Amino acid sequence: MAEICCGVVGAGETPTPTIEPNSRNSVRRSLDFLPLKYIADMAIPSENISRKRQKLDPSTKKGVVSSESSTNEKSTKNEVVLVANCSNVSEAENEVVVVEDCPKYGITSVCGRRREMEDSVSVHPSFCEEKSEQNQNPFHFFGVFDGHGCSHVATMCKQRLHEIVDDEITKNREKESVDWKSTMEKSFIRMDKEVLNSTKTKQSFTCKCELQTPHCDAVGSTAVVAVVTPEKIVVSNCGDSRAVLCRNGVAIPLSSDHKPDRPDELDRINSAGGRVIYWDGARVLGVLAMSRAIGDNYLKPYVISEPEVTVTERSDEDECLILASDGLWDVVENDTACRVVQMCLKAEKTVSPPGSPGSVVTGVGSDKACSDASILLTKLALARHSSDNVSVVVVDLRRDQRQQ
């Protein structure tokens, strides 16, 4: 992590003239420049990659899975695990090797103009597998959590939610297919209960709220989570973070922001006996600017942790998936974000003619392209004067046509 200080001048603005150090205006002006905590990451393939091969039985034509050169049973954030039953197929010596790469991705998270960083990002490639006699389909977990009140609920979600989802999927493993709506709803409710229990058991957190109000329950976090399988994109959203799919150049929102003045959310809050008060925008009881979140026990039952779940079939026209906190979406439209990512994905294929002066390859892989896209989106949000933390995950969903 590195801390950088920067001032952004928007389009059409003129630079501020130099102010004398001793003037009162200089003191007031200095408050506008706050440290930007900057984190960037991208998927980096490991040289020793876990592989699985599917051997072909000549008599039955059924595959038998065996492992080969597996170095780690579980992948870390920067490892790519290649698993059976995927798009790239080759046949040699009575063997069928079926492999699918983990989707490549890029992550950027900046503190922005806030004094504290309360966002968290969670990425777990191949965090679990749906196993059957012939298939081992890898599931990949991507999540963005935007904390409020403090950072510890977002941090807990980062550390635990993917494990809870894995456990819920495991419980349904005997079924032919996963009931994603039920699975994700149960996972979010379990996560919310863990947050509640952490305050009751006075679990220690290394954060500012421990110093101000020990074991405060007036802390929460949004959660937008995407589970990407070979066939589906499952998005679960609780709060005002957002997931957007770019398909054939069109931005398709896969989640809907939970704002207190959204008509159905407003009716739900009123039915529960709560009120939406307009105080610098619509807020539940005049306090919280979102109607769903994990945590925020003092606002229950008006603020709930139940997510809205969408299941989208993957298509060969899919280009990318963007998950981001409202620090981005408050100032950048869905279409604009998709165009930025498209530009980066196309740039990776641009190569100057060999031997030409200054010839360079502008991208060495879509992992770098996704990382560049996430960085550009955060810079765009800051240039448009976003006042919140900004966290962005870009996932490359492009794939070759499956062989028939």
Side-chain angles (χ1 to χ4, degrees):
M1 177 185 297
E3 293 192 3
I4 60 175
C5 294
C6 66
V8 179
V9 179
E13 294 183 11
T14 57
T16 305
T18 305
I19 302 175
E20 293 299 324
N22 295 329
S23 68
R24 180 174 300 178
N25 288 335
S26 66
V27 177
R28 188 179 301 125
R29 183 72 177 174
S30 66
L31 296 177
D32 294 336
F33 295 87
L34 300 177
L36 303 180
K37 296 181 181 178
Y38 177 88
I39 306 170
D41 196 8
M42 62 183 178
I44 304 175
S46 173
E47 293 182 359
N48 298 323
I49 298 175
S50 172
R51 297 177 182 268
K52 295 191 177 179
R53 287 191 173 185
Q54 191 174 31
K55 293 184 178 179
L56 186 66
D57 186 337
S59 61
T60 62
K61 303 297 182 183
K62 292 182 179 180
V64 180
V65 175
S66 64
S67 61
E68 176 179 306
S69 66
S70 176
T71 56
N72 293 304
E73 293 183 358
K74 293 185 178 180
S75 66
T76 61
K77 180 175 66 176
N78 289 330
E79 292 178 345
V80 177
V81 179
L82 305 185
V83 187
N85 186 35
C86 306
S87 57
N88 300 326
V89 181
S90 63
E91 186 172 344
E93 297 180 358
N94 293 330
E95 270 191 353
V96 175
V97 180
V98 194
V99 176
E100 179 180 74
D101 295 340
C102 164
K104 297 175 182 178
Y105 59 89
I107 307 168
T108 303
S109 188
V110 298
C111 183
R113 291 175 173 81
R114 289 290 180 92
R115 294 187 179 276
E116 300 291 336
M117 182 59 171
E118 295 179 335
D119 284 4
S120 287
V121 177
S122 178
V123 175
H124 296 275
S126 301
F127 79 109
C128 75
E129 295 174 358
E130 184 184 39
K131 297 181 180 179
S132 63
E133 291 183 359
Q134 298 181 354
N135 297 325
Q136 286 191 328
N137 296 325
F139 295 164
H140 313 292
F141 183 98
F142 303 91
V144 171
F145 311 103
D146 182 1
H148 46 264
C150 190
S151 61
H152 72 252
V153 174
T155 301
M156 287 184 66
C157 291
K158 173 183 177 178
Q159 295 171 346
R160 282 285 295 145
L161 188 53
H162 69 283
E163 297 175 345
I164 295 173
V165 173
D166 186 10
D167 184 54
E168 289 295 331
I169 293 174
T170 302
K171 291 178 181 179
N172 296 326
R173 190 157 282 172
E174 295 179 357
K175 301 179 182 179
E176 293 184 358
S177 61
V178 179
D179 182 349
W180 285 109
K181 185 176 187 300
S182 174
T183 296
M184 300 308 295
E185 287 176 352
K186 291 178 180 177
S187 299
F188 274 57
I189 291 172
R190 281 181 57 182
M191 186 71 249
D192 188 62
K193 288 181 179 178
E194 287 195 11
V195 170
L196 175 61
N197 291 334
S198 69
T199 60
K200 288 183 177 179
T201 57
K202 297 185 178 181
Q203 180 177 334
S204 178
F205 300 103
T206 309
C207 53
K208 65 175 184 178
C209 71
E210 184 179 11
L211 302 176
Q212 296 175 356
T213 310
H215 319 299
C216 177
D217 65 352
V219 178
S221 175
T222 71
V224 59
V225 168
V227 177
V228 178
T229 79
E231 305 297 338
K232 293 180 174 61
I233 304 169
V234 182
V235 170
S236 306
N237 180 55
C238 180
D240 56 3
S241 295
R242 190 183 306 165
V244 175
L245 170 67
C246 183
R247 172 176 289 176
N248 196 23
V250 178
I252 304 173
L254 299 185
S255 65
S256 180
D257 300 354
H258 292 128
K259 297 292 189 180
D261 55 351
R262 205 178 89 175
D264 56 340
E265 290 294 286
L266 178 61
D267 291 342
R268 181 186 59 77
I269 294 169
N270 290 335
S271 298
R275 293 181 62 193
V276 174
I277 300 173
Y278 289 83
W279 182 272
D280 190 23
R283 296 175 181 270
V284 179
L285 301 185
V287 178
L288 192 62
M290 66 205 69
S291 56
R292 300 193 189 193
I294 294 175
D296 294 303
N297 300 311
Y298 73 115
L299 289 176
K300 296 186 184 305
Y302 320 125
V303 174
I304 62 175
S305 59
E306 178 182 344
E308 287 184 318
V309 183
T310 61
V311 181
T312 305
E313 295 292 331
R314 290 184 63 177
S315 165
D316 291 325
E317 296 180 341
D318 292 346
E319 298 172 71
C320 66
L321 176 68
I322 306 171
L323 304 178
S325 58
D326 65 329
L328 175 73
W329 303 120
D330 284 348
V331 294
V332 177
E333 297 293 332
N334 296 349
D335 291 339
T336 303
C338 283
R339 285 198 298 270
V340 169
V341 178
Q342 280 183 307
M343 177 184 66
C344 293
L345 294 180
K346 290 178 181 178
E348 72 164 339
K349 298 181 180 179
T350 304
V351 183
S352 300
S356 62
S359 62
V360 294
V361 178
T362 59
V364 295
S366 62
D367 49 347
K368 181 181 185 304
C370 289
S371 181
D372 291 343
S374 65
I375 292 171
L376 280 177
L377 286 175
T378 56
K379 287 184 176 180
L380 177 59
L382 293 175
R384 294 187 175 185
H385 306 290
S386 174
S387 59
D388 204 349
N389 303 147
V390 184
S391 295
V392 181
V393 177
V394 176
V395 184
D396 185 355
L397 295 178
R398 296 172 300 172
R399 62 184 182 184
D400 297 331
Q401 293 287 336
R402 291 196 172 190
Q403 298 185 16
Q404 301 297 327

